[in-house]
Each structure stands twice: as structure tokens, then as C-alpha cells.
Amino acid sequence: MEMSLFTILDVLGTIAFAISGALSAMNRRLDLFGIFIIAFVTAIGGGTVRDILIGSTPVMWMENIVYIYLIGVVTILAIIFRNKLNYLKKSLFLFDTIGLGVFTITGVETGIQNGLDPIVSVALGAMTGTFGGVIRDILCNEIPVIFRKEIYATACLIGALAYVILYDMGVDADVIYLVTSLTVISIRLVVVKYHISLPSFYPASPKSSKLR
Amino acid sequence: MEMSLFTILDVLGTIAFAISGALSAMNRRLDLFGIFIIAFVTAIGGGTVRDILIGSTPVMWMENIVYIYLIGVVTILAIIFRNKLNYLKKSLFLFDTIGLGVFTITGVETGIQNGLDPIVSVALGAMTGTFGGVIRDILCNEIPVIFRKEIYATACLIGALAYVILYDMGVDADVIYLVTSLTVISIRLVVVKYHISLPSFYPASPKSSKLR
Amino acid sequence: MEMSLFTILDVLGTIAFAISGALSAMNRRLDLFGIFIIAFVTAIGGGTVRDILIGSTPVMWMENIVYIYLIGVVTILAIIFRNKLNYLKKSLFLFDTIGLGVFTITGVETGIQNGLDPIVSVALGAMTGTFGGVIRDILCNEIPVIFRKEIYATACLIGALAYVILYDMGVDADVIYLVTSLTVISIRLVVVKYHISLPSFYPASPKSSKLR
């Protein structure tokens, strides 16, 4: 794989999500292979669903053996150094945020490269960025991160929108990659630090409290 | 998109499932983007899985930008008019039933058009009709609607079977679309009104009460 | 379908997973169609995800009507003879183990036949073998079997590794199929009988007990 900035981001996102998956799994007291499975699924989940929706099969981790080795090595390191990642909750948040940021960008890029409408590419980017975390949370029996209080999907939608705008303006590709992934990451850091949430909406009727 | 009856049904099903997803999300007190995400996933879930299984990629909402806009507008309206949808449980049931009925038909149609065996087309139709509701329920942490007491999947299997029978008899396409989607919707309305359920089967042994 | 040993294994795995799905559904007191749905999804889940990842669409149960009929008949028999399957927990374990063993092999075989890297084929085999059981457990609201205490995914990874090693050595295909599927099944029988588990790893910090 040539070492373009795009490739570096892709590798970074894979590493970040693999670590976040391993941390979630260790927190759930899963066994050695449970940790590997969650790390793997979190790391390749977004890219896999992106490739399936586009029709680009076999999916990326099947075409390039580097992904599996990378995830394996990163997971082993996460297990070995688990005690140094003292603030577990903060570490998981940090790595999930990095993965979200860079995978949103690869998703939007893939949409654009395949000639899809910019709005569709934004949706694809949001899906690519968030899917790994959602799968990790479902398997670890957590409420998916996109549904917790602070802004999550909004962050990657804003970053993805920034992508298509900068792309349309003819800005250099490497600049776009950096600016947009940092946008997503920054928004997440800020909203979690200051506990910023979006409004909720629900009908006022008392009958609406439970569906069953 | 040409305005055939099939297209009208497809749009109707998308609108119905988007509203049902938005209602579920609001009932769960999700934030603004949580509502959009659930509405979107519920509305495109069935068609997406249908297209993936057939091999028709990029999937339908990526090929036609109308879907995303339609879902966005419908969701905003559902949020604005949430208090007018007073009987939340009944509204959700109604829109889910409409979505189930019409998406079952589009699924069977897709199977037939792709030269699949009629029985396989019936299975594909049932999957297309039910998948959106199942995904919505899993993400909203509800027991999937297909497993609740009143007849659900049976309704769309009957409608799908009616479709292949009428198709085989050479009945006009528009008539088939109307008759079969109304069949599914009517069955659901009746079984919920009169609390009709299928029998359950379980072994008598006391050891079988929990798997763990 | 020609009656090669591979085909026999494929049919056996489909039957085994259909029974395990039906047993799970009956244990959950699902209605008649809930039982069929779970049986069907468990039986075709692994093969479907394998075909989607490879890009082999329409997926296998859509191309060959035999699968649907087979699953239907097997499920009816499982319902009729449910009381004879007295030790429910042991029956479910046995059929899940058989399905895991043979579907792991079909997954690895598919990877090799499609020219994928051996390690990628091993991952594909593990995914094909485990996916049906995971889907069954998620829909039946159980913790997915791959995360319960005794060794699960490790068993099929070892069998899959044995496959690629024997394949590389030029051993006859039928011998490989038998040896490797029996390897997976034997490992599962032994680890459950003697309660063998893999180690868990988790940080020592008291803050790590819950993510929220």
C-alpha cells in the first residue's frame, strides 16, 4: 500500500477502533478471543459496511492481509498495556473519537470516488464512521454510543459536510483529510468536555412513557 | 422517478417506516439526531438488505437522492406534529403496518423481476417488509416486533404468497400491488384488534425454562 | 446438487443450525412463525454473510430452493419431536456445535476457492461458523454464545487453521473436510465437558467496573 495521507488515516482509524474494541471487551471481562473478536469487528465494521453498500466486494480486509495483522498486533499491545491505560473510560472515548473522525472521512471519500451524490456521500461517511462503535456496543451489551447524551453522529455529519464543501472548492486532498477529521475529533472533544447535548423531543401524553 | 403505482407504494412505505422510526425514537427520548438516525435506518433497512442479498449495489437510497430528502422532511414533520399523534402506540402500529405491507410487496416484486423462485421471492418479500421494524426495535432496545404476541411475519407471508399466486394467474400488476399490500395491512389490523396469536410450542421439561 | 462430501456437510450444517435455532425459539416461547424465523436465520446466517463479504450474490439460499424446504421440514420435525429432545440445553449445544464445525469448514473452503489469503480464509471460516449462532442469540435476547465462558471461536479458528495447513500439504479434500470439522466439534465437546476457558484480562483500576 502506497503511503499516502489517506492510507495513513485509514491505518490510524483501524488502530484506534481496534484499541477501543479491545478496551470495551476487557471492561466486559471477555476472554482472550472475545477481546480479539470485538477488536476486529469494531475495526473493520465501518469499512466493511461501506464496501458492501457500494458493492465493492471482497471487502477491504479480505483484499489486504495487512489489516488482520495490524489489528492482531494492536490488540495484543492493548492487552499487555491495559494497566497503563488507567483512565479506561477516557481512553475508550479518545480512541473511539479518533476512529470516528478518520473513518467518516474515508467513507465520504469513497462515496465521492464512486460518483455518488455529495449528500449520499455524507450519509455514507457518517455510517462508515459510526458503525464500528455501534457494533462494538451492541456486542458488549451497551447502549450504542450514537444514542448516548453527548453529540456523536452530529459531529461526523458536520465533518462530512465540511469535506464535500472543501472538495467542491477544489481544496487540496491532503488538506481536506486533515481539516475534516480534526473537525470531527475536535467537536467530540468539546461536546464531551462541556457536556453539550442536542434537544430531545417527545409527546407530552403520559400514555407515551412505555411502548409495552 | 416515473410515477407508477409501484413507485407510489415504495414512497408510501418509506414515509410510513420513517414516521414509525421517528415515533419509536421520540418515545425513547433520543436526541434530534437519534431521531433522524432511527427514522432513516427503519425506512431504508428493508430495501437495503433486499438489494444486498440480490446483489444490486450501490443500494437504492444511494442511487436516488430523493429517499434521503423524503426521510428528512417526513422526520421533521413527525417531530413538529408529535403531539397531534396523541395515541403514540396506535400511531406507531399503524405506520409500521403500512410499511410492512408495501415493503413486503416491493420485496416479492424484486425477487420475481430477478428471476428468483417464487418461494424464494416470498421469503425475500417477508425479509424486506420486516427488517426495518426489527432494526428499529433492536436499536431502541425493544423486543423485535416480529416476536411479540400478535401475528406479524405471518401477515406478510400470506400477502407475499397472494402476490405470487395472482402473478402466476396473470392478473394486472397494479391490481396485484393493491390487493396484496392491503391483504397484509388488513390481516395486521384484524389480528391486533382481536388479539389473535399463533400457538407457541415448548418442551414440558422444567429444566427448559432458562438456557443459563 | 451433486452429492459430494462438501455438499453433505453443508446440508448437515444447515440442518444442525436450523434445529438449534428452533430449540432456542421454543425455549423463548416464541410462536409458530417466530420458531421458523429463528430457525431460518440461524441456518442461513453464516452462509449469507460469507457470500455477501465475498461478493457472491444472490446468496446461496436464494439460488437453491432446497435450503428453504430443508429448513422448513427440519423445523417442523423439531417442533413435533420437541419433547423427545428432553435435555434441551444439551441438545441445543450439540446441534450448535455441529453447525459451528461444518460451517467453519465451508467458510474456509470458500475463501480458498476464491483465491483469498489463507489467514483471511481462516477469518472468513470463523465468521461463517459463528455468525448463525450469534444472530440466533441476539434475536433470542441471549448473550451471544461466542462470549460465554467456554472456548467457542477458538475452536473454529483451530479447525480453520488445521484446514489451511492440511490443504497446503496437499491432503485429499474429503479427508480435510472430515478431519477439520471433527476437530472443531471435538474441541467444543471437550471444553464444555471439562469447563475449559480462556483467561480474561482487565485493568485493575476500580473505576473500570462500568462504562457508565
Side-chain angles (χ1 to χ4, degrees), chain A residues 37-97:
Chain A
I37 290 167
I38 302 283
F40 180 74
V41 165
T42 311
I44 58 96
T48 295
V49 83
R50 175 198 66 207
D51 289 354
I52 288 175
L53 290 176
I54 285 283
S56 166
T57 46
V59 295
M60 90 293 188
W61 59 269
M62 300 176 85
E63 291 277 285
N64 196 331
I65 190 64
V66 166
Y67 286 103
I68 291 185
Y69 288 137
L70 183 66
I71 294 166
V73 166
V74 163
T75 304
I76 290 171
L77 292 175
I79 295 174
I80 292 174
F81 292 105
R82 64 193 180 284
N83 281 320
K84 291 205 172 23
L85 299 167
N86 260 347
Y87 298 104
L88 185 69
K89 195 168 168 182
K90 288 193 175 180
S91 302
L92 202 144
F93 161 71
L94 179 68
F95 289 109
D96 174 83
T97 295

Side-chain angles (χ1 to χ4, degrees), chain C residues 106-119:
Chain C
T106 64
V108 181
E109 166 86 5
T110 301
I112 300 278
Q113 291 307 325
N114 277 272
L116 297 179
D117 184 281
I119 298 294

Side-chain angles (χ1 to χ4, degrees), chain B residues 130-192:
Chain B
T130 57
F131 198 76
V134 172
I135 286 289
R136 171 200 66 214
D137 293 342
I138 288 179
L139 289 177
C140 287
N141 205 26
E142 300 270 350
I143 292 178
V145 61
I146 50 172
F147 298 135
R148 294 179 216 164
K149 279 198 63 186
E150 292 87 12
I151 288 171
Y152 192 82
T154 317
C156 66
L157 279 165
I158 292 175
L161 275 165
Y163 185 106
V164 297
I165 290 170
L166 293 175
Y167 181 84
D168 207 57
M169 283 166 55
V171 175
D172 176 69
D174 285 358
V175 174
I176 296 182
Y177 296 152
L178 277 174
V179 169
T180 51
S181 43
L182 286 174
T183 299
V184 179
I185 291 171
S186 312
I187 292 176
R188 277 295 285 160
L189 292 177
V190 167
V191 302
V192 169

